Amino acid sequence: MTRIDLHSHSSVSDGGDSPAEVIEYAVAAGIDVLALTDHDTVGGIASAAEALPPGFTLVPGMELSCAYRGSSVHLVSYLFDPDHPGLTEELRRVRSDRASRAEEMVHKLRAQGVDVTWERVLEIAGAGHEEYADANTIGRPHLARAIVEVGAARNVQDAFDRWIGSGGPAYASRYAIDPVRAVELVRAAGGVCSLAHPARAEGALNGEVPLELVERMVTAGLGGIEADHPSHNREQSRHWRGVAADLGVVVTGSSDDHGSLTGHRLGARTTAPEAFEELVAPATGVPLIRG
Ligand code: AMP
Ligand code: MN
Ligand code: MN
Ligand code: MN
């Protein structure tokens, strides 16, 4: 049985392992098809592609940060043309705003007596993979590690709870694209996409992505819903499987592995081969990468 995991992160964004190491771990976990979906960047795809063993398939992808009514809505996107001008321009804007927002959070932390420095956060975000400098994505997990280092939190989770979680004392919001527009952009770039962890929309929506938004995203070309995700409980998975069936899109399942950050869990949830085939059938941007 082909094992397919459609959501994973490397150190090019906020994962703990290099792209090549992610492939190694995926092989060890018995995965045959893996999508590398770093936040707002495809900067890790080339080096992941170089690390593929024979018989392994890499799905080039990315997790696009979107926002709706004060909550983050994430879109796992696949097989789009990374040079599509509209998409490239959005991604640059998103990444650059991620950097200014992280800097703003450093200021807020310092003003509250937490001695983190911007230099150190940059170092953590870029450590060990300078070759991707342009494409690296800075995220709150990097900031969280800096907070832990200076002793203002016990661990990354605690740093989110105390300081930088949505609405926390050092939280700053950032630019993110409208979810419907994001689907349109990915489709215009020849890609396909699935709504990531719909029961985990951090922020004002209190977790769940509203159905009216999902319906509009489907109309715009959303092909799947990630009903199976490690952070969803049984009831949430069941609910979102039902929504996918009602709206006529496929169910995807993925680990959303971040290496050591989430605990290694590649393959913890998987996507059925038929669902994968149906999801990627309309893609015209770039082909699957086979080892
Ligand atoms: P950002 O993309 O900078 O907004 O940060 C969001 C990322 O932080 C997510 O992709 C997760 O990897 C991680 N994250 C979000 N909430 C938490 C949390 N409560 N504890 C640990 N990591 C989290
Ligand atoms: Mn992440
Ligand atoms: Mn996400
Ligand atoms: Mn993710």
Side-chain angles (χ1 to χ4, degrees), residues 9 13-15 39 63 74 141 256 258 261:
H9 297 271
S13 67
D14 57 8
H39 295 283
E63 182 175 14
H74 289 175
D256 198 0
H258 284 67
L261 186 73

Side-chain angles (χ1 to χ4, degrees), residues 239-262:
H239 169 74
W240 284 99
R241 285 177 160 270
V243 173
D246 289 349
L247 298 180
V249 298
V250 306
V251 168
T252 62
S254 323
S255 66
D256 198 0
D257 179 271
H258 284 67
S260 48
L261 186 73
T262 49

Side-chain angles (χ1 to χ4, degrees), residues 4-268:
I4 305 170
D5 185 340
L6 293 181
H7 186 162
S8 68
H9 297 271
S10 76
S11 51
V12 169
S13 67
D14 57 8
D17 306 305
S18 71
E21 286 166 340
V22 173
I23 299 298
E24 250 178 68
Y25 278 113
V27 171
I31 289 167
D32 311 284
V33 179
L34 179 77
L36 181 63
T37 53
D38 276 307
H39 295 283
D40 306 311
T41 180
V42 291
I45 300 298
S47 59
E50 280 172 21
L52 301 184
F56 192 100
T57 300
L58 173 68
V59 186
M62 137 184 106
E63 182 175 14
L64 195 47
S65 310
C66 313
Y68 184 66
R69 297 196 180 152
S71 274
S72 61
V73 172
H74 289 175
L75 193 67
V76 271
S77 313
Y78 312 103
L79 299 170
F80 50 85
D81 171 6
D83 297 321
H84 181 270
L87 188 57
T88 313
E89 196 181 310
E90 266 308 328
L91 291 177
R92 273 211 202 93
R93 180 164 174 201
V94 168
R95 282 201 302 271
S96 128
D97 191 72
R98 273 177 166 280
S100 6
R101 173 253 204 160
E103 203 171 358
E104 186 184 342
M105 287 193 280
V106 167
H107 289 305
K108 288 191 174 191
L109 284 161
R110 294 187 65 82
Q112 293 171 84
V114 180
D115 193 25
V116 296
T117 65
W118 177 229
E119 288 66 35
R120 183 59 191 140
V121 173
L122 280 178
E123 226 169 71
I124 291 171
H129 44 85
E130 266 165 38
E131 66 267 36
Y132 315 124
D134 249 9
N136 270 15
T137 301
I138 299 182
R140 279 177 291 162
H142 303 123
L143 204 53
R145 282 164 57 189
I147 295 170
V148 173
E149 276 180 4
V150 300
R154 288 189 307 278
N155 51 44
V156 166
Q157 177 64 53
D158 190 40
F160 272 84
D161 293 345
R162 280 193 202 203
W163 299 105
I164 55 173
S166 178
Y171 176 78
S173 64
R174 65 184 166 87
Y175 172 73
I177 176 173
D178 171 78
V180 173
R181 187 155 163 263
V183 173
E184 288 167 354
L185 261 181
V186 170
R187 297 294 293 116
V192 294
C193 47
S194 182
L195 175 60
H197 47 75
R200 283 286 173 279
E202 189 193 11
L205 294 176
N206 206 17
E208 301 275 331
V209 177
L211 196 55
E212 59 83 17
L213 174 63
V214 184
E215 287 168 350
R216 287 189 292 117
M217 291 172 78
V218 169
T219 304
L222 180 74
I225 296 179
E226 193 183 68
D228 293 334
H229 184 276
S231 73
H232 288 179
N233 63 32
R234 206 180 272 266
E235 176 51 34
Q236 289 166 330
S237 290
R238 202 189 58 77
H239 169 74
W240 284 99
R241 285 177 160 270
V243 173
D246 289 349
L247 298 180
V249 298
V250 306
V251 168
T252 62
S254 323
S255 66
D256 198 0
D257 179 271
H258 284 67
S260 48
L261 186 73
T262 49
H264 291 275
R265 65 184 191 191
L266 283 166

